[in-house]
Amino acid sequence: MLTKDDFITKTLEQIRWKKAHDSVRKELSDHIEDQKNAFLDMNMDENEAEERAVQEMGDPVEVGALLDHSYRPRTDKGLIFGGVM
C-alpha cells in the first residue's frame, strides 16, 4: 500500500511541467488530509484512515497523467502570432 508521500511523488513524476509541482503537491496533500479526517471522524485509526484516503485517490500514474493534461504551460498568443491579433 502506498503512503501519502509515495502517492504524491508517483503522481508528480507524471507531470512534465515542473512549475506545477508545488501547487499539485499541496492540492493532493490537502485532499488526502481532508478525506483522512473524514475517516478519523468515522472512528478509524490514524493509519487505516490515511491508507484508505490514499487508496481512494486511485492509481497515481493514471491520476498524474490526467493532471499532466491540465497543468501545461500557457503560451501568450501574442508571442505566437508576433503580437498581431
Side-chain angles (χ1 to χ4, degrees):
M1 186 55 66
L2 288 174
T3 66
K4 173 181 148 182
D5 290 336
D6 290 339
F7 177 86
I8 292 171
T9 298
K10 269 200 171 312
T11 301
L12 292 176
E13 287 172 356
Q14 311 311 309
I15 301 172
R16 293 172 282 182
W17 192 35
K18 303 302 182 205
K19 289 184 178 183
H21 283 201
D22 287 342
S23 63
V24 172
R25 179 180 289 109
K26 181 171 178 7
E27 181 180 339
L28 293 173
S29 180
D30 289 351
H31 185 74
I32 291 169
E33 285 300 313
D34 288 346
Q35 190 59 44
K36 176 183 169 183
N37 289 331
F39 288 136
L40 289 171
D41 289 344
M42 296 168 48
N43 296 320
M44 285 188 187
D45 68 46
E46 184 92 13
N47 290 334
E48 182 183 8
E50 182 169 318
E51 184 177 304
R52 184 137 175 228
V54 170
Q55 183 181 21
E56 287 195 357
M57 293 294 292
D59 181 85
V61 174
E62 290 177 17
V63 172
L66 290 171
L67 289 171
D68 182 55
H69 292 295
S70 297
Y71 288 93
R72 297 256 175 123
R74 306 277 188 253
T75 55
D76 184 355
K77 289 181 183 177
L79 294 175
I80 293 172
F81 299 109
V84 178
M85 296 199 179

